[in-house]
Amino acid sequence: MDRIMDSPEDRLREENIPSFNPRPKVKQFTDPKLIKDPKKLNGWKWYHTRREYLMYHPYCAKCGNLGEEVHHVYPRHSHPHLIYKWNNLLTLCKECHKKEHREEEHQ
């Protein structure tokens, strides 16, 4: 079987392709204290959970507009074992999310 050789132009083209780094070196992704603290959901697990939840539930549960926030039905600080459970999440738009937190503060 003959081996196909790359031309010098192909090799030059490949060398000029910028490398893609999918994991940026940012403190919030590398500091284990920030990832384990339920008050600071900055880790990869929350990033992927939130992104996937919004793909399957794109609309606000209260008003029907496009949702941008993922709200925890049971608060993170009192129920840390439910942080990543989908049955504890709710998609809300920014306005409904603000209203929801205002109502929680008054109770």
Side-chain angles (χ1 to χ4, degrees):
M1 179 164 25
D2 290 323
R3 194 168 162 207
I4 300 174
M5 298 295 288
D6 290 335
S7 68
E9 292 85 20
D10 289 338
R11 280 191 230 121
L12 183 62
R13 208 174 299 124
E14 287 176 6
E15 289 172 4
N16 290 330
I17 296 173
S19 62
F20 174 70
N21 183 4
R23 298 184 76 178
K25 291 183 179 179
V26 180
K27 183 179 179 185
Q28 66 183 14
F29 296 123
T30 56
D31 188 355
K33 286 182 257 173
L34 293 177
I35 294 171
K36 291 178 183 174
D37 186 2
K39 295 176 186 170
K40 298 178 181 177
L41 290 176
N42 294 325
W44 283 102
K45 188 173 181 180
W46 174 246
Y47 171 79
H48 289 293
T49 302
R50 181 185 183 281
R51 193 174 107 192
E52 190 172 356
Y53 188 81
L54 284 173
M55 282 189 337
Y56 284 97
H57 303 91
Y59 298 105
C60 178
K62 302 279 183 179
C63 68
N65 290 331
L66 191 62
E68 304 168 58
E69 304 286 337
V70 177
H71 176 72
H72 288 87
V73 179
Y74 294 103
R76 299 180 310 221
H77 59 86
S78 60
H79 297 80
H81 60 286
L82 298 176
I83 289 176
Y84 305 106
K85 303 290 184 192
W86 278 33
N87 56 0
N88 187 42
L89 302 178
L90 198 61
T91 302
L92 297 174
C93 66
K94 287 190 182 233
E95 288 300 315
C96 291
H97 195 224
K98 287 178 189 174
K99 288 177 191 173
E100 191 69 29
H101 280 283
R102 274 190 232 123
E103 291 171 7
E104 287 176 2
E105 288 174 5
H106 293 296
Q107 291 179 356

